[in-house]
Amino acid sequence: MSILTDKLPETLEIKGKICSIKTDFRVWLRFTELISEGGNIKPSDVAEIFRLIFEELPPNFFDAISEVMKFYT
């Protein structure tokens, strides 16, 4: 898959539930800013990350983070 020529996935599967995600590049630039601030991610940053990426909250926080990082990388 090439992120430059192929359409990005619009969902992630988390604990068997399909969750819609936002794939606009500005969302992921902000995500990069939040996770690149020296490893000091505050609870408010985590809340912002979830609001940025997901249309509705995923069923499991830890699995969601894992799937988000797979998508991101």
Side-chain angles (χ1 to χ4, degrees):
M1 179 177 121
S2 169
I3 64 170
L4 297 176
T5 58
D6 296 338
K7 185 173 167 95
L8 293 173
E10 296 177 347
T11 60
L12 295 177
E13 184 174 343
I14 302 166
K15 285 288 191 190
K17 181 179 180 191
I18 303 299
C19 299
S20 295
I21 60 169
K22 300 170 190 164
T23 57
D24 185 274
F25 76 95
R26 291 170 288 248
V27 167
W28 294 94
L29 290 175
R30 179 67 183 137
F31 175 79
T32 301
E33 289 174 351
L34 289 169
I35 66 169
S36 298
E37 294 175 356
N40 293 328
I41 298 176
K42 301 178 293 253
S44 60
D45 293 340
V46 174
E48 182 176 351
I49 287 169
F50 274 75
R51 281 193 307 272
L52 277 171
I53 296 171
F54 292 100
E55 300 289 335
E56 62 182 57
L57 289 178
N60 182 292
F61 170 79
F62 295 105
D63 292 328
I65 291 296
S66 175
E67 291 302 317
V68 165
M69 291 310 293
K70 285 181 196 173
F71 176 83
Y72 178 69
T73 55

